Amino acid sequence: MLWTRRVLYSQAGPSSGGRQPLNFDGEAFHLKGTGELARALLVLRLCAWPPLVTHGLALQAWSQRLLGLRLSGALLRASVYGQFVAGETQEEVEGCVQRLQALGLRPLLAVPTEEEPDSAAQTGEAWYEGNLDAMLRCVDLSRGLPESPDLAGKTLMQLKVTALASTRLCKDLTSWIMKPGVSSELSPERLAEAMDSGQNLQVSCLNTEQNQHLQASLSRLNRVAQYAQARQVRLLVDAEYTFINPALSLLVAALAVRWNSPREGGPWVWNTYQAYLKDTHERLRRDAEGAHRAGLAFGVKLVRGAYLEKERKVSQLQGTEDPTQPDYEATSQSYSRCLELMLSLVSHHGPMCHLMVASHNEESVRQATKRMWELGIPLDGPVCFGQLLGMCDHVSLALGQAGYMVYKSIPYGCLKEVIPYLIRRAQENRSVLQGARREQALLSRELWQRLLGRAE
Ligand SMILES: Cc1cc2nc3c(=O)[nH]c(=O)nc-3n(C[C@H](O)[C@H](O)[C@H](O)COP(=O)(O)OP(=O)(O)OC[C@H]3O[C@@H](n4cnc5c(N)ncnc54)[C@H](O)[C@@H]3O)c2cc1C
């Protein structure tokens, strides 16, 4: 079960010669066309302008009224949609993926369905069943994408639990989980059993309707996992808000019992850990130990965290302790410690432990690549990198060119569904978009060089 360091060192690290130097100075932009670079610069500049992000939805409605649906749609396609979204049809998504693969990058498809965290609007089972179909199609699409022979078991996709189970249910489960002494009723093993048998689960904190919804949600989650595993697609479950995350983690743990055992060739279901939360390092250590004790494989997507403003607002409103780190430096330190922990686990347990370093941060990426080399973790092994489509291509391209496994998180779908999703993501990642100044400067320099005929 243990992946010995000897095996690791035989594939990479000091024994394989010098370490590939990573250069994030935009040199890798030579791989991209001038039109693509110009669009990236324009869109990143626009997104760094706060009013556009704050009033994005109103501006979209206004432009539709003024320019008409077709023209405003065409403008969006040529700009924001074209920059951050793969497309609408299977052919468009495949085209986008082929362009990425030619650059040494891999797709991480994400279905942009979501429930408003505070809304009670989406409560009908039909909405969740529709999302289940979309997830299954996403598995098919991920699997059917043009692939190179070395992709076996390396196809990944993102999954959002609140597309398949209501936020309301996750909130109620979280309140129950947080109460001392009641956890046995909601053990991952019990939920996993209910998933498998389809027998009605009765949880005392939920009413009849909620119990039925829990059962239906468990069966939806299990269906996606089963379908994905059969098609060799690994599921990376998103982390969301702290008022529902414990329930999401419980559901992931239940899926892990069923789908992350070594005989399944797991981990097929990974959880996401947000370094901006104060308790994340401790939780990550505990969960890793728990998985090891239970003989389960362990998959982690490590992020800084996207819901900072909302988390702080909620804790302020409720008069509770702010769950997030006090400042950016503390979040970065936490990210670094979690990264170190995960890389040392990978170096000890090999393919039983998988990690996606999901960050645009150059320092975090450098730390990961340096430690991978020191620990002898192979570039095509269980550690990979993740960035959003249309963001930080200078980092993704440099990593891809150096032989690391790099995934671009790709939303896809029709304009009407995806634009509100993008605007919400942009609002949550305001600081990131505003911080993309270095990328803008690198893009600008490359474009000037081409204009003056020096780069090509
Ligand atoms: C492939 C992929 C998958 C993702 N999946 C998820 C997910 O499932 N759940 C999720 O929540 N996010 C997810 N994200 C988003 C991620 O959490 C970050 O918001 C985003 O990547 C920016 O962080 P960074 O490390 O890339 O960049 P950086 O610019 O280095 O970091 C910005 C981040 O630092 C933190 N930060 C900024 N200011 C402060 C402050 N004053 N105090 C404390 N912390 C601060 C915030 O987390 C902010 O997002 C994902 C990102 C990627 C690339």
Side-chain angles (χ1 to χ4, degrees), residues 108 158 237-240 272 274 276 301 303-308 312 325-328 331 356 358-361 386-388 409 429 431-432:
L108 173 68
Q158 273 177 261
V237 178
D238 285 349
E240 303 184 41
T272 297
Q274 298 157 313
Y276 70 2
K301 165 154 66 82
V303 301
R304 277 185 169 71
Y307 309 105
L308 187 72
R312 288 181 174 172
Q325 297 285 357
D327 50 38
Y328 177 71
T331 294
M356 173 178 276
S359 174
H360 307 99
N361 185 295
Q387 284 102 35
L388 305 178
S409 170
N429 290 291
S431 68
V432 182

Side-chain angles (χ1 to χ4, degrees), residues 377-389:
I377 298 172
L379 305 197
D380 62 349
V383 177
C384 63
F385 294 82
Q387 284 102 35
L388 305 178
L389 183 72

Side-chain angles (χ1 to χ4, degrees), residues 346-363:
V346 170
S347 85
H348 279 99
H349 304 306
M352 284 288 281
C353 228
H354 284 229
L355 168 68
M356 173 178 276
V357 182
S359 174
H360 307 99
N361 185 295
E362 292 178 21
E363 274 318 300

